[in-house]
Amino acid sequence: MEDTPTTRTETDSLGSMEIPADAYWGIHTARALQNFDVARRPVAVYKDLVKALAMVKQASARANKEIGVLPADKADLIDRAAQRVIDGEFHDQFVVGVIQGGAGTSTNMNANEVITNIALELAGREKGDYAFLSPIDDTNRSQSTNDVYPTAIKIGLSLDLLTLLDELELLRQAFLAKAVEFHDVLKVGRTQLQDAVPMTLGQEFHGFATTLGYDHQRLTENAYLLYEVNMGATAIGTGITTHPAYAPTVLRHLREITGLDLATADDLVESTSDTGSFMSFSSSLKRNAIKLSKICNDLRLLSSGPQSGFGEINLPAVQAGSSIMPGKVNPVIPEVVNQVAFAVAGADLTVTMAVEAGQLQLNAFEPVIAHSLFQSITWMRRAMHTLRVNCVEGITANRERLGAMVGSSVGVITALTPFIGYEASAALAKAALLTDRSVADLVVEAGLMSREEVTKQLSPARLSGLEAITAAIPIVQAPDDAVDARAS
């Protein structure tokens, strides 16, 4: 009984190599594994990129069949093999590193080899039987890395963005739910970390939800920048080696397969060399990350303490916070989101530098652009999920503490300035601070307003702006000595 071979021999223009017999990738992928042992993170970690690569190969096979440059039997095998990758199979065979030289050629060849060897098995052939079906002449027909790779990146990012937007909307809704829950909780607002005027905790959380809603809009708008593709450009945008009907035909099939409103770039030479859409998209991701980080900064401040800080809200206790201080609980969920934001900001700079570094008819640095963007989307989506599930949904308000802080705040006198004037308000605010007395009591004692009127104007609805002042009361000037006496 003969032993089953453990390897197969494949040959390229540089020579021959032994490839593991069970591997669906081939010699081009093998060389990339030798050359780019850098990130040690395979493209398989970005499932939507792998899926998008298979979609491009499938659309190309259908287009090549339709225009008659690839036999129907070969095109159908490639089509069926690509569908299996789209459905989630064989992703572990996409093994080349996310950081690679060659402008993405290794990733394109990895896809060509895997899909070809799946197709060969479907045909009852052995892996590596490229005389029957070739990764380059058949699976890569009418294509170049220079149109396949950027198109796959754009499609993959578009698919990945859909899940990010879903998570962002769920987070926005979680903040909205808290805004409703805290709608009647009065607190002291702050500017420059100093006491300002009253507001409700509900208003504060509603602001968080609103800013996330704006980010949802910006990300959705920038997604359309990714819908312009350069399929049919081949090497530099001239369309060399393609049939005149290929570009419109492959676009039609890509639109059907992806469900995206894709369009062929007006100038394929420009589109092949330009990566500006990736920079714009990266910028919108950074905007979302930084604004989310600012929200997390606020959550950490508002929950600081619990005894010696703001102590206005309680974040869910999800793990012990110290190996030396018993009972300490830290805001670890907002902290991890902060760190993701820092990484996204750094990735945006990487994308910017890579876009700038492009030369002449091609940008060779699309692999690091792709890695940076896919990592940012992935980490952002996961960060939003843990923020929502492990933090926001469980936030509670320290109502008594908030009420006491508002009650002792001199900032409430701002609400009385339309009635007693700025000068009198400033003097009484100073008096309240010096004597630790209630602003309301001082205003009444100064004869500036009745107790009933003060109580009305300092109601939670008036203080938070939920109930507008409809008619001004003429400013009443108290005797100077009355105000001065309380300020002394």
Side-chain angles (χ1 to χ4, degrees):
M1 183 175 180
E2 295 183 2
D3 293 335
T4 302
T6 58
T7 64
R8 66 178 187 269
T9 304
E10 291 195 13
T11 303
D12 64 4
S13 60
L14 299 181
S16 298
M17 291 184 69
E18 293 301 305
I19 307 298
D22 61 350
Y24 286 84
W25 44 266
I27 189 169
H28 295 279
T29 301
R31 293 199 188 282
L33 291 174
Q34 290 182 339
N35 295 332
F36 308 127
D37 184 22
V38 179
R40 298 193 177 181
R41 182 181 297 182
V43 294
V45 299
Y46 302 129
K47 296 185 182 300
D48 281 330
L49 175 57
V50 173
K51 184 177 178 180
L53 285 162
M55 288 176 166
V56 171
K57 298 300 173 182
Q58 185 178 60
S60 294
R62 292 180 182 180
N64 286 328
K65 173 184 174 181
E66 184 175 328
I67 62 181
V69 300
L70 188 65
D73 56 343
K74 288 187 175 184
D76 290 342
L77 284 171
I78 296 169
D79 190 332
R80 291 168 57 197
Q83 186 61 51
R84 294 186 67 179
V85 176
I86 294 170
D87 291 339
E89 297 183 68
F90 303 102
H91 282 211
D92 62 333
Q93 297 298 307
F94 288 77
V95 294
V96 298
V98 291
I99 303 299
Q100 57 193 253
T105 296
S106 296
T107 298
N108 184 38
M109 285 307 304
N110 193 168
N112 287 332
E113 290 172 338
V114 170
I115 290 172
T116 298
N117 281 309
I118 297 170
L120 286 169
E121 281 194 344
L122 291 172
R125 299 279 180 157
E126 295 293 326
K127 298 186 189 72
D129 186 3
Y130 301 146
F132 180 82
L133 187 70
S134 168
I136 297 177
D137 292 333
D138 298 320
T139 304
N140 201 59
R141 176 67 62 89
S142 304
Q143 304 153 63
S144 163
T145 293
N146 301 347
D147 55 5
V148 167
Y149 190 59
T151 296
I153 293 172
K154 290 178 177 180
I155 292 172
L157 288 173
S158 298
L159 297 175
D160 225 12
L161 178 62
L162 296 176
T163 58
L164 176 72
L165 291 174
D166 288 343
E167 197 60 60
L168 178 56
E169 175 59 18
L170 290 172
L171 182 60
R172 187 184 74 85
Q173 292 290 342
F175 276 111
L176 274 181
K178 288 298 168 181
V180 173
E181 180 181 343
F182 302 147
H183 77 280
D184 60 342
V185 181
L186 206 61
K187 60 161 286 178
V188 176
R190 296 178 182 85
T191 57
Q192 297 164 270
L193 290 179
Q194 304 300 305
D195 295 349
V197 297
M199 64 186 300
T200 68
L201 190 61
Q203 289 173 318
E204 195 162 29
F205 274 73
H206 193 278
F208 296 154
T210 299
T211 198
L212 294 179
Y214 290 148
D215 281 343
H216 194 290
Q217 293 174 14
R218 297 294 88 76
L219 284 166
T220 301
E221 291 168 1
N222 279 329
Y224 287 100
L225 297 172
L226 302 175
Y227 288 2
E228 183 182 272
V229 299
N230 69 329
M231 286 304 293
T234 63
I236 64 171
T238 61
I240 192 170
T241 75
T242 61
H243 187 283
Y246 173 77
T249 306
V250 74
L251 176 69
R252 173 163 47 82
H253 286 293
L254 262 181
R255 289 167 63 100
E256 292 172 356
I257 292 166
T258 65
L260 300 174
D261 190 22
L262 304 174
T264 301
D266 294 332
D267 187 329
L268 291 178
V269 172
E270 187 277 339
S271 181
T272 303
S273 63
D274 178 64
T275 49
S277 60
F278 294 131
M279 186 167 60
S280 297
F281 183 66
S282 178
S283 178
S284 65
L285 282 177
K286 182 182 75 171
R287 167 193 160 121
N288 183 209
I290 297 305
K291 291 173 68 177
L292 191 60
S293 186
K294 188 272 180 187
I295 290 172
C296 287
N297 292 342
D298 288 352
L299 294 179
R300 290 191 293 113
L301 275 174
L302 295 175
S303 65
S304 62
Q307 294 171 300
S308 301
F310 283 20
E312 296 187 2
I313 62 175
N314 305 301
L315 306 184
V318 294
Q319 65 183 59
S322 174
S323 61
I324 189 174
M325 294 174 281
K328 192 172 189 292
V329 178
N330 296 326
V332 295
I333 302 302
E335 287 171 351
V336 77
V337 178
N338 286 136
Q339 293 173 78
V340 167
F342 306 156
V344 172
D348 179 64
L349 178 58
T350 297
V351 171
T352 300
M353 297 304 296
V355 169
E356 185 276 336
Q359 297 167 319
L360 304 177
Q361 278 67 62
L362 183 66
N363 188 307
F365 306 109
E366 287 182 355
V368 77
I369 291 174
H371 165 59
S372 299
L373 291 175
F374 278 107
Q375 176 178 279
S376 291
I377 285 186
T378 301
W379 286 14
M380 283 286 289
R381 181 178 65 247
R382 294 170 182 170
M384 290 177 190
H385 178 81
T386 194
L387 180 63
R388 172 173 60 86
V389 173
N390 295 315
C391 184
V392 176
E393 292 179 346
I395 290 175
T396 57
N398 287 327
R399 292 173 180 260
E400 291 185 5
R401 179 175 174 83
L402 288 165
M405 292 169 74
V406 172
S408 62
S409 172
V410 299
V412 298
I413 203 165
T414 302
L416 303 182
T417 55
F419 310 102
I420 65 176
Y422 185 90
E423 184 177 351
S425 297
L428 290 172
K430 180 181 178 181
L433 286 171
L434 291 174
T435 61
D436 199 26
R437 294 190 61 200
S438 162
V439 163
D441 291 342
L442 294 178
V443 171
V444 173
E445 289 178 14
L448 296 175
M449 297 178 70
S450 68
R451 175 69 64 179
E452 180 183 7
E453 194 59 41
V454 169
T455 300
K456 176 181 178 182
Q457 299 306 328
L458 297 186
S459 68
R462 287 284 175 94
L463 287 176
S464 61
L466 297 177
E467 180 181 297
I469 299 173
T470 56
I473 298 174
I475 293 177
V476 177
Q477 296 292 342
D480 291 339
D481 55 351
V483 175
D484 292 340
R486 286 159 180 78
S488 62

